[in-house]
Amino acid sequence: MALIQMELKEIKRIEQAEVILTNLLMLKHRDKEEFLINFDDVVVSLEAAVGLLNQSLSSRM
């Protein structure tokens, strides 16, 4: 049972990272190479996604 809960938490982290990255892609400007949100917000979102993916990788080791 504990193993299943760990797997579900890992899947949830991966899905959260995917949502963050997908949302960032949706916020890119249609005609220019820039985002429609502040640079700092992009950086924080990327850091959050990387953190979630790193947690997921760490839990597998």
Side-chain angles (χ1 to χ4, degrees):
M1 185 71 161
L3 182 60
I4 293 172
Q5 289 178 340
M6 288 176 56
E7 289 289 325
L8 290 175
K9 286 181 182 180
E10 184 177 333
I11 291 169
K12 184 177 178 180
R13 281 193 296 263
I14 292 171
E15 288 176 349
Q16 288 172 333
E18 180 184 11
V19 167
I20 291 169
L21 296 172
T22 300
N23 287 345
L24 283 175
L25 288 173
M26 291 173 56
L27 292 170
K28 67 182 180 178
H29 195 280
R30 182 180 293 179
D31 302 319
K32 300 178 186 176
E33 290 187 6
E34 62 185 45
F35 287 98
L36 301 174
I37 60 174
N38 293 328
F39 176 80
D40 290 343
D41 293 334
V42 174
V43 171
V44 169
S45 297
L46 290 171
E47 289 172 345
V50 168
L52 288 165
L53 292 172
N54 282 335
Q55 287 177 10
S56 180
L57 289 172
S58 295
S59 70
R60 288 183 172 256
M61 295 180 174

